[in-house]
Amino acid sequence: MKPEKRHVLLLWMLLCCGRSGAIEPISTSIAVGMAAALTGFLASYQNIFYYFHECCRPEWIAFNKSGLHADLELKLFGQHIASRIVLKAVSGFMSNNNPKKPLVLSLHGWTGTGKNLMSKLIAENIYKEGMDSSFVHVFTSELHFPHAQQIETYKSELQRWIKGNITNCAQSMFIFDEMDKMHPGLIDSIKPYLDYYDKLDGVSYRKAIFIFLSNAGGIDIIETALEFWRDGRQREEIQLKDLETSLSLSVFNNKQSGLWHTSLIDKNLVDFFVPFLPLEYKHVVLCAMAEMKAKGTEPDQSVADQVAKDLVYFPKTERVFSVKGCKTVESKLDYYT
């Protein structure tokens, strides 16, 4: 028997045992004192449990605004629009003790531009365990919803998963990757959970965060970025207003997107459509330098340049943007280091 359990059992025996003989009956004052000690011990034991085991409590869930800001500056490159939107959106939501609805972010852009990294940085600055937290849930279309003929089953399962996890912890996060591969109509099954309801069947969903990741709309973002480049304008001049309307319409009307004709867009339940711009050579170099640092090796400019030069860029003649963004940088570094 563990020592703490022996202590509890001994106290219980002393309080309950009133036999004459070797152990005399305990006076009322002593019993009260020992009961108080037992209560204090149990409270302390509970706090120790919370310390070592992840719970839905402030010890494990607390937003670090300065941490998120620093991470966006040091780890996410070439995404001035996305960084600004997400920092403001998450900060405002997490500082609101009584939000009217869950926070819903839809991240869009070409592959390798930082959508998954953004989700990771958000999670790491809210949950102590980051992406390993039991309150962060990731769904991918090809793994969790592979068969179109089973969509009705997926709908009921998805509703049950989300309701069960939010019942367990109101401040849960749900990340849906590969939304462009999701069966149209599936995501509409969770529409009530994203709406302006105080409670549904006794459960409040208003403190949860939903993040959708998609390549859908990437072409529109690239065309805007190319237009600015051809006009001789800096990419930092691109603003959300230059992309938001066309992006939401593109996603809504894209039959290959899980958000095709979804009521989430139609009912304005997506709080922000967040565009991720295609990455240039200089951003790939920064990715390589950051990856070397993350691996614990001294960043080497020459190696970073070599990695960046080996990637494919488009348009073919101008070679402005990386086709795969920073997606293959890690594997390229393994080759050069």
Side-chain angles (χ1 to χ4, degrees), residues 105-117:
L105 302 174
S106 193
L107 314 186
H108 299 269
W110 207 244
T111 183
T113 52
K115 300 184 297 296
N116 280 287
L117 175 59

Side-chain angles (χ1 to χ4, degrees), residues 106 108-109 216-218 220-221 243-252 273-276:
S106 193
H108 299 269
D220 297 86
I221 298 171
L243 292 163
E244 190 171 34
T245 301
S246 62
L247 181 57
S248 61
L249 287 174
S250 174
V251 172
F252 185 76
F273 289 93
V274 185
F276 281 70

Side-chain angles (χ1 to χ4, degrees), residues 283-294:
H283 303 125
V284 177
V285 170
L286 291 172
C287 287
M289 297 287 281
E291 186 63 35
M292 283 186 272
K293 185 176 181 180

Side-chain angles (χ1 to χ4, degrees), residues 1 4-14 38:
M1 183 180 294
E4 60 268 23
K5 289 187 177 180
R6 286 202 298 269
H7 295 158
V8 173
L9 180 60
L10 177 60
L11 285 171
W12 180 84
M13 290 175 63
L14 290 173
L38 177 59

Side-chain angles (χ1 to χ4, degrees), residues 2 115 180 227 232 302:
K2 293 183 179 180
K115 300 184 297 296
D180 47 302
E227 181 181 336
S302 62

Side-chain angles (χ1 to χ4, degrees), residues 224-233 280 315 318 320-321:
T224 299
L226 273 174
E227 181 181 336
F228 271 71
W229 179 79
R230 285 171 177 151
D231 289 343
R233 303 168 66 184
E280 300 174 13
E318 294 94 339
V320 182
F321 301 121

Side-chain angles (χ1 to χ4, degrees), residues 83-94 103 105 271-272:
S83 294
R84 183 168 61 248
I85 294 172
V86 167
L87 183 60
K88 288 185 177 181
V90 176
S91 299
F93 181 77
M94 293 301 296
L103 176 62
L105 302 174
D271 296 298
F272 294 96

Side-chain angles (χ1 to χ4, degrees), residues 76-84 113-114 235 275-279:
L76 186 69
F77 308 111
Q79 304 301 348
H80 65 283
I81 302 175
S83 294
R84 183 168 61 248
T113 52
R235 68 187 281 126
F276 281 70
L277 301 174
L279 299 182

